[in-house]
Each structure stands twice: as structure tokens, then as C-alpha cells.
Amino acid sequence: GDKAPAAGDAAAFTVQLRDRFGNGLPAVAERVSFEGSSLVGSTTGARLTFRSGLSLEARNEQLGVYDVVYRTTVADTYLIRLTVQGEPLPVLAPNDKCPVKPAALSPARSTVKGAAKGTAGAEAGALKEFYVTPRDVYGNIRTGGVDPVSVTLEVDATGEQLTPVTVGYVGGGGIAGVA
């Protein structure tokens, strides 16, 4: 969603430890271990653990309330898998997921494939298809058709008029063009 953090940004979600009666459970760092906890990317398989990408900040230790802070450069929807003292911590849906969207568009990391790249010697008047894959600075594919796209055709110094380029979105975040 729009409120999802972008790749590379820090974000957090809150957990509260409770006793079997639902009361907030005071916890101290020496007694509580989140070892084995992770956020796992649902499509990429990227994994964040408390050794890489996750940290814990006490919000109210007397009530057992903590913020789990995470940061990743891989855009995906991460599934929350928390354990306390080796036991799974139940997470209620739909808040069992942490979406991370791609960062801002990076023209330098975006790619072009097809006949439009390097068309020296192409036949005049023939249509040439090409595909642009917009990516962020980390290489994540940008999807949803929200990125501005401009296409420039370079020609020699003959001064001839160019046929306009048609650009449209295709599945998977790619952009198809016909020149």
C-alpha cells in the first residue's frame, strides 16, 4: 500500500507480550529471547533476522510492549514469524505481513531490451519493439505504471522527421514501446 515503507527505509511494527489471561507481560532483556524470529519475503525468500535487518526497541517494558524495527533493500511482502523463548508468537491476520515497496525510480538501474537499443542500420519505416523495465536504486522492479517514461531516439545529422514513439505498460512492471 501507499503507507508501506520503501526499500532502504526503516519501518516498525509493535508487539505486546501477554500472559495466558491476556494481561501485558512485563519482560526484561535477560529473560526474553526473540532468537529464531524472522521476516521472510513471500516471493523473493529474502529473510530478515535479529542478526541482519531486525532490531528490538522497548516501548513500554512494564507492559511487554516492543517495536520491531526492520530495514531491507529487497521489495516484497514479508511474513512475520516471531518466537519468544523458542515458542511461536501468534500474530493476528491481516497484520502478519509487512509490505516493502520499491524505492524511487533509478534510470541508471532501469533496463531496455529489444530492437530499439542499438538499432543502427534498421530498416526505415519498419516498426521496432522494445521493452523498458523501470527499477529502483536497489534493482527492484517498479510496478503499477506510475513512473514517468520518456523515450529519446537519436538519429544522424540528416534532419529527417521522426515517427512518434508509442509507449504502454505490460505485465510485471515492464514498458513496451513501438518506434
Side-chain angles (χ1 to χ4, degrees), residues 124-139:
L127 295 179
K128 301 296 176 190
E129 290 186 349
F130 59 95
Y131 299 90
V132 178
T133 303
R135 297 179 183 271
D136 70 8
V137 69
Y138 303 107

Side-chain angles (χ1 to χ4, degrees), residues 118-178:
T119 58
E123 182 181 337
L127 295 179
K128 301 296 176 190
E129 290 186 349
F130 59 95
Y131 299 90
V132 178
T133 303
R135 297 179 183 271
D136 70 8
V137 69
Y138 303 107
N140 297 302
I141 295 175
R142 303 254 325 156
T143 59
V146 296
D147 295 310
V149 175
S150 63
V151 177
T152 303
L153 295 179
E154 296 179 6
V155 296
D156 59 20
T158 62
E160 293 190 32
Q161 290 287 86
L162 294 178
T163 302
V165 175
T166 303
V167 177
Y169 283 88
V170 295
I175 300 166
V178 179

Side-chain angles (χ1 to χ4, degrees), residues 23-116:
N23 301 308
L25 184 64
V28 291
E30 304 87 56
R31 290 188 9 222
V32 177
S33 168
F34 284 89
E35 195 66 35
S37 297
S38 65
L39 269 64
V40 180
S42 60
T43 58
T44 62
R47 181 180 292 274
L48 305 177
T49 67
F50 281 103
R51 291 197 175 113
S52 63
L54 292 179
S55 63
L56 194 66
E57 296 177 4
R59 181 183 280 189
N60 184 336
E61 273 190 295
Q62 297 306 313
L63 295 178
V65 179
Y66 296 89
D67 286 333
V68 177
V69 180
Y70 61 99
R71 179 188 312 257
T72 179
T73 59
V74 179
D76 201 345
T77 298
Y78 288 83
L79 307 176
I80 301 170
R81 300 294 177 252
L82 295 178
T83 60
V84 179
Q85 304 298 87
E87 294 294 319
L89 181 67
V91 181
L92 302 176
N95 297 323
D96 60 345
K97 296 174 181 67
C98 294
V100 176
K101 64 185 178 185
L105 177 67
S106 171
R109 293 294 303 259
S110 298
T111 56
V112 177
K113 291 184 180 175

